[in-house]
Every structure is written in C-alpha cells, then in structure tokens.
Amino acid sequence: MTRYRTLLGVVLLLSAIPVAAKEAAVDPASGLKIAPGWEKVRGHCTACHSSKLIIQNHHSRERWESLIRWMQETQGLWDLGADEAVVLDYLAAQYGTPAAPPGGMMRRAPLMPQ
Ligand code: HEC
C-alpha cells in the first residue's frame, strides 16, 4: 500500500511540474513575452531588426544598456527618453541573466558585438 502511495506521490509531483514551469504569455506576432513594458520594446526595438535578436539573447541590465548605447552611437537608434528605463526593466526581467548558482560558477561575459 505504501508503495502505491509513493507512486501516486511521484505521479502527482510530475504532473505539477509543467504548471510550475509555465512561461509568460508570448505575443504571437513578435514573439516577445507579454510583461510590463513589452509594447514599448516592440515599438522601439523592432523597427530595424527582428525581435528574434532580442529573444535569443540573455543579458544583464548593464549589458542591455551598453547594447542600446552601441546602437545609438553606430546604428542610428534614437534617444529612448523616459521609455529607456521601462525598456531596460523589461529586458533585464524577461531576457536577463539568471542569478549566479550557489556554487558561484559564472559564465564569462558575452563577447562584444562587432
Ligand atoms: C535604428 C535601428 C535599430 C533600432 C531601432 C534597434 N536596433 Fe538593435 N541593432 C541594430 C543593428 C543595425 C544591429 C546589428 C544587426 C546585425 O548585426 O545584423 C542591431 C543589433 C541588435 C542586437 C544584437 C547585438 C549583438 O550582440 O550582436 C540586439 C540584442 C539588439 N539589437 C537589441 C535591440 C533593442 C533591445 C532595441 C530597442 C531598444 C533595438 N535593438 C533597436 C539597429 C537597431
């Protein structure tokens, strides 16, 4: 009997995992996660290139900011004004880097863009 109860526990646990791992809703057109600020990101950040460039990246807030500066200095990206903080909050929260694992193993910083 105990064995069956254990088995039932395992089955219940496994069936709960997909619910726990459920991701934020995604905008079908851009693929951007729907979270506070996403429309500003869609508005500013998909004018020149696909949102795929954003979605495939995971950067710290500082790194996102330096990418924005790089695009402003070399690619004609405009001043984002008051929207910049909203955009950076969104990027860092939705496409950020995971916190360092307990063992302290960190990946090297990503390579600089060309
Ligand atoms: C004025 C045009 C323009 C706008 C607007 C723009 N970008 Fe870019 N971005 C570029 C260009 C050009 C590249 C280089 C594309 C390539 O290498 O093919 C680029 C590259 C990127 C990359 C890849 C960088 C790498 O590591 O190689 C990311 C990420 C990115 N942009 C994010 C953003 C975000 C976030 C925004 C909104 C704040 C944004 N872009 C808005 C022009 C723009």
Side-chain angles (χ1 to χ4, degrees), residues 58-76:
H58 287 276
H59 296 308
S60 65
R61 189 186 169 96
E62 292 70 32
R63 174 77 182 146
W64 278 117
E65 189 175 344
S66 80
L67 275 172
I68 287 175
R69 294 290 169 268
W70 170 75
M71 282 179 279
Q72 285 170 333
E73 282 158 24
T74 64
Q75 310 297 335

Side-chain angles (χ1 to χ4, degrees), residues 40-41 43-50 52-57 59 63-64 67-68 70-71 74-78 80 87 91 111-114:
K40 301 251 185 240
V41 173
H44 287 295
C45 306
T46 61
C48 301
H49 52 66
S50 160
K52 285 205 183 86
L53 269 185
I54 298 165
I55 294 161
Q56 72 196 7
N57 276 296
H59 296 308
R63 174 77 182 146
W64 278 117
L67 275 172
I68 287 175
W70 170 75
M71 282 179 279
T74 64
Q75 310 297 335
L77 173 60
W78 44 88
L80 301 180
V87 165
L91 293 171
L111 299 174
M112 283 298 288
Q114 299 304 305

Side-chain angles (χ1 to χ4, degrees), residues 23-35:
E23 289 283 326
V26 162
D27 168 44
S30 65
L32 289 168
K33 291 187 204 166
I34 295 176

